[in-house]
Amino acid sequence: MHVDYWQEIREDRLGRIGLYLILLLALLAALAPFLAPYPPEARVGAAFSPPSSRHWLGTNDVGQDIWSGLLYGARTSLVVGCGAGLLAGTISVLVGTSSALVGGFYDSLCMRVVDALLVIPPVLLAILVGAYFKPHLLTLILLLAAFLWPGGARIIRAEALSLKEKKSVAAARTFGAGSLYIMARHIVPDLGPVWLAVMIQDARRAIFMEAGLSFLGVCDPTLHSWGKMMQQALEFTYLEVWKWWLLPPGLALSLTVAALSFLSFALERILNPRLRGEREDAGH
Amino acid sequence: MLVIKELQVSFGELIVLKGINLELKKGEILAVVGESGAGKTTLGLSIMGLSPGRCAGQILFKGKDILALSEEERRLIRGKEIAMVFQNVEDALHPLYPVVDQVMEALLIHGLKDKKAAQRKAMDLLKALGLSEERTHFFPHQLSGGEKQRVLLAMALANDPEVLILDEPTASLDAITRAEIIELLKKVIREKMVLLITHDLSVAAKLAHRVAVLYGGRVVESGATQCIFTFPRHPYTRGLLRSYPNMTTVKDLQGIPGPPYKPVDGCPFHPRCTQRVELCFREVPELKSLGDRYLACHRGGIIPLLEIKALSKSFNGVRAVREVELTLYEGETLALVGESGSGKTTLALTIMGLLPPDKGEIWLEGQKVLLRDKGFYQRVQMIFQNPKSSLSHRMNVWELVKEPLDVQGWGSEEEKLERVRKVLEEVELPADDFFLRKYPHELSGGEAQRVAIARALVLNPKLLIADEATSALDASIQAKILKLLLSLQEKRGLAMLFITHDIALARKVSDRLAVMKNGSIVEEGPASEVITNPKHPYTRTLLSLAADLKEEISILPVDAQRPK
Amino acid sequence: MLIWRPNVVNYIVAFFIILTLNFFLPRLMPGDPLQAIYGDDALIAMTPELKLELIQRFALDKPLGEQFVAYLRALFRGDLGYSYYYHAPVVSVVLGYLPWTLLLSGLALVLSTLTGFILGVEAGFRRGQGLDKLLLTTLMLVNGFPDFFVGILFLLLFSVVWGLFPLGGSLTPYASLKGFDLVLDILHHLVLPLLTLVVVRCVNIFLLTRSSMVTTLGAGFILTARAKGCKDIRVRYHHAGRHSLLPVVTAAGLHLTHLITGTLFVEVVFSYPGLGTLLYNALMVRDYPVIQGVLLILTAAVLIINLMLDLLYLKLDPRINYAR
């Protein structure tokens, strides 16, 4: 069966919303240096000034421009999401497919490790390691990817196992193809959609975790992050400032995560024929 | 008494059941048979009030219309007065509860308050249906298919309902378990009104008193089981029986032409029917009484194509054909079997009008044949024993096959060429120019016979008389030609009068058999009947001499009275 | 259905991974290991005698292998270290905060599971109808909201703007309430954090139950139950719901993990004096013994409950006992 996934996602209402939101966000983040009126760390105005034409979202306790901070926060979220998603997704594919193809002791060993890692809450691990390292962007991506890959590896392995049973793979084996060739030519390409779903899921969780870690003050304090903005703003709930300081990063974060949820929900419905039927029925 | 009146069930635009009228009396088992998608299960579910579709019409039970009741009132009837036994599919039983609890639930819902007593009763019931005591506490996945079917049955019987609906009660069971379940069913469903839904004709034959054949959501034929299954009158019923593998039919399996049912105007079966007329496209036939059965067909069921009435023919005072009475129905094969000199060929030639009869009449499609004009030969064609002699050696294949079209003055040369190519393909011959230019002496025996068949078919006849059409061929070629003829019969609804001396061969191709001796038909009936239970000693002799692969030869004297 | 084997080995391996991380992280950090192990406050209070004692206690002058053994030994004695910020053993610090976390997360677990399950059953039963569509869209949206942001929204709305609930804490300080009043006060403080967790955490249970209901309702045994004459509500819960519970229990471990991490964040938002707030404060002042202790206890709890859930699953699905 050949399905044009982008076409399907665009036809799914939720998927479409998610896709457009992410694209908008990516645009804002990419153009942050042009859109942001001030460098995010510069103290450019009086503390706690309300929104004005100079400061669209006002300023924080030390007089930094909140709108600029918000734009640069989007960059962090997206870079962390994409980076950790890609990295974790790649590790998942490498471990999952090799495990499925090689089998035997290697497979049991990999899956034992994966199962063990799966029962440990990744956020707790990340907090523990983060508390020592005070991670900045790159270390944060490495850290999150390190705890995110096991779930994907299980899914990819299951998918690779079912792909392995396909006749085309059997045919390739009869031509004398080796494991590497089969992995590269037959399994990985067909894994595409599942891989994509895994990565979106990982990216979603990475953004979530980055915000959480920053909110707890685990990350490097110089990292521009929505989570950190919220942590700082939370101390001033007795002032009116929460309206332009606390809500915007929270909403931006929620929208980003929701957009990715919609995307992965849509993708899941496309990938799962049973839910696919449900979607058609629901249209009646 | 359960009466279904003008029941119609629809899902949105799609009408699944239409104009269903059925009656169930106490102690009577009615089987509803048909292919999947015919609406059988929907019928069962609507009686239960569980059909997700929109129901119109009436289902009268004890004078109350089930369809008009409130959901709560229907719920109280369900499982109490009307119960349904489901097919033992993967998950017909709840996987997480012991089976005795599931049977018990049926009792508790309908008024029994005491849990202990309910459990006792459920266990007794399960035991009575053949489950051992300890297995009543098992979970469904621990039981075999037959045991699960017994549990499903116990659940339905728990409240001793008056009406029982059995939905494919033996599907997915192996043969031995199926037999056990059928035996069990026979015992427990006495004194109830039973609606048996099945696609398995053998189950219907074993259990049901009456049978209703459902096609495209309509009853096309109904009546006493024995009557319907032995002499089907609706083309669909016959198709169903022909395609059902069992031990009593002897003819090869044949399918029903065309794709399964899709909603159409007019008679639901007309797209697949080989005897349809213009009326069938427009109007839905009504289910009418024919005395022994009800039938919904504009043509009054499978039409008699050829009727031979009291036909006699003698040569020089020797009577070759004596008072022969035969009827050949549309789309069926009648084998005429007998030794050489029994008058078979004379009969064929007389039908074809190549010999004038002394006495008697021949009717074609309900009309007496007075003269044999082009119209007659367009409908009736014949294949002769020796193809080489029936094909003129001066004509090539193209001219040979086209000859009937020339004679009939049919179409232009281009149209003829197209028709000839098509019919050659139909008889699995090459249709290229090279082959069209071949002459009979360049053809093999099989090819020549195929050309002869193509010649006979090019006019689209309704009746084909095959006089020892394959006896000159090698067995392997003969087998292919016979398969070809049968598939043409399936596709076109061709009726065949198959004349042969070989009863073993006749057995494989015919629906009915007529045995001819000294110019008279001595025995006639459904092929399976004649083969397994021959009445006339001559038939028995023919059978004893029929080809088999055993060592000994056993000639039974013609007058021997005792069957072997 | 997957063949489900509770695998104790997984949990042991997982626990070992955590222990190893806990041990090696501070010791492999550049700089003074004592600072990494004991945090900044220890160094302020440091005297040469204390330093000597500490080095001895953790065998810091010995090779890593022996240090590890010493570490494990201390752990098994129930010694999680000493917090120089609180001037108390970590165990006693943690135990002081633990009850509030247990109260909050325990109630949240029960209520979110129940809410998610009931909503899921009802929505799945009415699939495609108004209620289902409403629930699905709303909860999908909520699914994108981090726990702490929902908490912040509730805090702002109910406490800051409307003043209906206290701004934080677990009870009114210095009020010295007794009996029923105390209970009421505790509940009053509990409402918002609990509501936050229930709203956010019921979503996954809801989605899982709903999609499971949708498939279950098509199963043969549902028709069998209805043909028996079961009432709608009995079909919905006794037959379909019970069956839809299986994937919920399978995913309960994950649910619990999310719930516990969620509790940490929500406690911080509401300054609720549980382990989350303790952890947050410890992170602020780099009180490493407490950070390690809290995380170790939480992970151990998650692992143990997961293991128990695996065993519970055996009871719920009779088919598994017989799976080879």
Side-chain angles (χ1 to χ4, degrees), chain B residues 259-275:
Chain B
Y261 176 73
K262 284 206 193 75
V264 284
D265 288 339
C267 173
F269 190 62
H270 85 254
R272 300 170 80 179
C273 186
T274 50
Q275 60 170 29

Side-chain angles (χ1 to χ4, degrees), chain B residues 1-52:
Chain B
M1 181 130 135
L2 185 78
V3 184
I4 300 173
K5 279 189 185 163
E6 286 300 319
L7 177 68
Q8 170 167 335
V9 182
S10 50
F11 293 89
E13 294 292 291
L14 185 72
I15 297 174
V16 179
L17 284 178
K18 196 159 172 148
I20 304 288
N21 291 295
L22 290 172
E23 264 187 36
L24 264 179
K25 291 190 196 73
K26 199 173 172 197
E28 186 185 51
I29 303 171
L30 169 67
V32 176
V33 298
E35 290 166 296
S36 46
K40 305 186 300 276
T41 299
T42 307
L43 176 62
L45 288 178
S46 6
I47 298 173
M48 294 293 288
L50 286 177
S51 167

Side-chain angles (χ1 to χ4, degrees), chain C residues 101-113:
Chain C
T101 297
L102 283 182
L103 177 70
L104 180 57
S105 57
L107 277 176
L109 177 68
V110 173
L111 289 180
S112 64
T113 311

Side-chain angles (χ1 to χ4, degrees), chain C residues 126-140:
Chain C
R126 294 174 176 76
R127 164 185 152 182
Q129 297 174 20
L131 178 76
D132 177 36
K133 280 185 176 158
L134 182 75
L135 277 173
L136 195 61
T137 324
T138 323
L139 291 182
M140 281 289 296

